[in-house]
Amino acid sequence: MSLLASRLDWMLRCCTAGGTCEAYGPQSELQVNLNSEPAPPYGRAAKHYLTTGDSFDITFTPRPMTAGQAVPPITPRQRDFKDQLELPALQTYPIPPNATVEEQENIRREKLLDMYREFALDLHTGMYLTQLTSNRDYSDIHCQLMEDMVTLKLDQSNGRIIEFPLTNVSKVYRIVKCDDKWYSAGTPLPNASPSRTEQIVVVEFMRRKLAFVFQDVQMSQRFLICMELLIRKAQQKQALRSLTPAIPAQNVPSRQCPTPRVVHNAMARATPSPGSVHTDESL
């Protein structure tokens, strides 16, 4: 114990911030200088810990719009879910933000399908978005598309979870907010800077409106186009169900188990009587 105490006393008296080892009295204090500057990167691919993505983060991260950027890996179940998604039946399809008018129709359709599948997978997994409330306050909400691809679930982080059926959406549009003034999409903005401009996508239901705020134009266009495609797909699915006849056809066999009386009557009708049988000799 005496050896340990002597070593500890030596460390407290000798160690200083400058790296020198000079003897100090018992009243001296230990000084430590902390540097908040980031360490120099080691290699070309070195990144800061706070700027790198978390592999366990399942929340929404904006998808790249340019080619050549890596897409996060997905699980086999997510891959099957993504491959089963198809575009709704439309007369004309919108042009995705990463496509141009000069491209061929099949190339634009393929880009639109890829963007739609990625967005649907992100929304099905769950994404955090910024909502503009009726009081013009900003709040972060968690949105998730349910397994039926029809119900949109919103978690406002206040103990309330609200479900919105996409079949009840009446309108989806985009507006621009700049310096507390509202403009329709495509209107030239007077001396507008990107830092003061907000892209707002409004999803309008029969009794309520949901306004989502975006800072990037392409991300707002992506959300608007893909949300419209999801709404069209949900409405077409509902219309297909409504076309199913309520009264089954008479020729379709029933799945109900027949009773003995029904079986006996059917056999009696199927077996002809001896006098009703006609042969070639009688004719």
Side-chain angles (χ1 to χ4, degrees):
M1 293 295 294
S2 60
L3 179 61
L4 180 60
S6 61
R7 295 289 296 177
L8 181 61
D9 181 68
W10 177 82
M11 290 177 61
L12 293 177
R13 287 187 291 106
C14 293
C15 294
T16 60
T20 59
C21 293
E22 298 179 359
Y24 287 87
Q27 300 297 330
S28 61
E29 59 183 16
L30 181 64
Q31 297 181 0
V32 179
N33 294 329
L34 299 179
N35 189 5
S36 61
E37 296 295 331
Y42 296 95
R44 299 177 56 184
K47 296 181 179 180
H48 197 271
Y49 290 106
L50 297 180
T51 58
T52 55
D54 187 3
S55 59
F56 294 97
D57 187 11
I58 62 174
T59 57
F60 173 73
T61 52
R63 293 283 181 171
M65 286 297 174
T66 58
Q69 298 185 8
V71 178
I74 59 178
T75 62
R77 183 176 181 273
Q78 291 176 338
R79 186 180 298 106
D80 295 339
F81 172 83
K82 179 179 177 182
D83 295 339
Q84 293 176 0
L85 296 175
E86 296 295 338
L87 294 173
L90 301 176
Q91 294 182 356
T92 58
Y93 289 90
I95 301 176
N98 58 343
T100 58
V101 185
E102 292 77 13
E103 294 179 344
Q104 297 181 0
E105 180 66 24
N106 56 348
I107 298 178
R108 293 184 305 191
R109 184 78 61 85
E110 184 178 356
K111 290 183 178 181
L112 181 63
L113 179 60
D114 293 340
M115 184 182 69
Y116 171 71
R117 287 177 173 177
E118 290 178 358
F119 178 83
L121 179 60
D122 287 338
L123 192 58
H124 181 264
T125 305
M127 61 174 64
Y128 281 97
L129 296 173
T130 302
Q131 180 188 9
L132 182 62
T133 62
S134 59
N135 300 329
R136 296 190 178 183
D137 296 332
Y138 296 87
S139 62
D140 294 334
I141 60 174
H142 185 267
C143 303
Q144 186 176 12
L145 186 64
M146 302 304 292
E147 196 71 27
D148 57 358
M149 301 294 294
V150 176
T151 306
L152 183 64
K153 183 174 67 174
L154 270 65
D155 187 358
Q156 299 178 342
S157 301
N158 57 358
R160 298 179 57 188
I161 298 178
I162 308 176
E163 294 183 353
F164 294 93
L166 296 180
T167 53
N168 293 344
V169 177
S170 59
K171 188 188 302 183
V172 183
Y173 55 93
R174 182 172 62 94
I175 56 179
V176 181
K177 180 183 178 183
C178 180
D179 293 335
D180 293 334
K181 295 182 180 180
W182 303 90
Y183 302 90
S184 59
T187 304
L189 303 180
N191 299 327
S193 62
S195 60
R196 297 180 302 174
T197 304
E198 295 177 347
Q199 308 292 329
I200 300 176
V201 178
V202 181
V203 181
E204 185 174 341
F205 294 85
M206 292 185 295
R207 297 182 179 179
R208 187 168 179 176
K209 296 180 181 180
L210 297 177
F212 302 99
V213 183
F214 299 90
Q215 299 297 331
D216 185 65
V217 179
Q218 288 189 345
M219 293 306 302
S220 64
Q221 292 176 350
R222 173 181 181 265
F223 185 86
L224 174 65
I225 293 176
C226 295
M227 185 60 68
E228 287 181 342
L229 294 176
L230 285 175
I231 293 170
R232 292 293 184 183
K233 192 70 174 180
Q235 292 175 350
Q236 290 179 4
K237 184 185 297 186
Q238 184 186 35
L240 184 61
R241 292 177 180 177
S242 63
L243 292 177
T244 304
I247 302 176
Q250 299 296 330
N251 296 330
V252 177
S254 177
R255 295 183 179 180
Q256 186 178 3
C257 182
T259 60
R261 181 183 296 273
V262 174
V263 174
H264 179 270
N265 294 337
M267 294 295 293
R269 289 193 300 268
T271 305
S273 59
S276 62
V277 176
H278 299 279
T279 61
D280 294 338
E281 296 178 359
S282 60
L283 298 176

